[in-house]
Amino acid sequence: MDQYHRAVLAAEDKFFGDCDTGNVPVVLVFTKCDALLVQGIAALTPEETQLPQEERVAKGQHNANMLLKENPTWERVQRMKYPPKICVELKDLHKFNEECILLLERTVVALDGEALQMLLVTTQCTNMMLCIEYALRRVLIPFIDNRHERDGLLTDSGQQELVEAIGSWFPNVKVWNCLYGVNNKMP
């Protein structure tokens, strides 16, 4: 990622220029973005190089983040005939599971439609935070935003529908509905 002229090669140019993926969103992944830290530290002013190491690294990281934001490759790819839907810049891939969550979150954002988002989120049974986030985004927040249409009241069947809608984002969790007399006995 520190060599912008090599970030997108001929194969990627051909893909984004010639391949129409239709309704399938493409996620462009930049790896080795931590290599930009070296450039960020190299860009420090002479005064900043005299700072304690912790502060030098923090300022270098800030410079590296600015380089990522001004990424000319992303702008170039966006102008191609079939650009990717979203871009993800990954770093610290040598650390276990470090950036997997970021990649997963960005991929969910790239998907169009709740059904596809739900499919991806619910297959990530180890990522409870992602399930919670999308249950809130897709069910609870719209429910709260629309409560004025219901006069603020929620019937028993409405409560059950809300619980089931939220529960649909957690397919690996079995819920016993003791409130409504369904499955009152736990196995």
Side-chain angles (χ1 to χ4, degrees), residues 79-97:
R79 290 190 303 268
M80 292 185 169
K81 187 173 182 181
Y82 302 106
K85 173 112 183 220
I86 205 160
C87 172
V88 181
E89 293 122 350
L90 301 179
K91 53 189 172 193
D92 294 330
L93 293 177
H94 61 284
K95 297 177 182 175
F96 177 74
N97 211 18

Side-chain angles (χ1 to χ4, degrees), residues 132-151:
I132 292 169
E133 178 182 348
Y134 275 84
L136 290 173
R137 277 188 188 186
R138 292 298 199 156
V139 179
L140 195 55
I141 292 172
F143 171 80
I144 292 169
D145 289 345
N146 295 327
R147 70 176 170 217
H148 66 277
E149 295 172 10
R150 296 181 310 276
D151 298 326

Side-chain angles (χ1 to χ4, degrees), residues 45-59:
T45 65
E47 297 81 30
E48 291 172 328
T49 60
Q50 302 304 313
L51 295 170
Q53 180 179 357
E54 213 172 270
E55 290 180 49
R56 275 194 322 261
V57 170
K59 291 205 177 268

Side-chain angles (χ1 to χ4, degrees), residues 120-138:
L120 179 58
V121 169
T122 58
T123 58
Q124 302 301 313
C125 50
T126 58
N127 194 335
M128 188 60 76
M129 287 303 294
L130 195 60
C131 292
I132 292 169
E133 178 182 348
Y134 275 84
L136 290 173
R137 277 188 188 186
R138 292 298 199 156

Side-chain angles (χ1 to χ4, degrees), residues 63-132:
N63 291 344
N65 290 340
M66 295 306 294
L67 287 170
L68 279 174
K69 287 181 182 174
E70 299 164 1
N71 184 340
T73 304
W74 174 241
E75 292 172 12
R76 181 175 144 235
V77 170
Q78 280 299 104
R79 290 190 303 268
M80 292 185 169
K81 187 173 182 181
Y82 302 106
K85 173 112 183 220
I86 205 160
C87 172
V88 181
E89 293 122 350
L90 301 179
K91 53 189 172 193
D92 294 330
L93 293 177
H94 61 284
K95 297 177 182 175
F96 177 74
N97 211 18
E98 187 66 27
E99 291 288 321
C100 293
I101 293 172
L102 175 63
L103 180 58
L104 184 61
E105 288 173 350
R106 301 291 294 194
T107 302
V108 171
V109 169
L111 294 173
D112 293 323
E114 186 174 333
L116 284 175
Q117 289 177 332
M118 186 179 286
L119 178 65
L120 179 58
V121 169
T122 58
T123 58
Q124 302 301 313
C125 50
T126 58
N127 194 335
M128 188 60 76
M129 287 303 294
L130 195 60
C131 292
I132 292 169

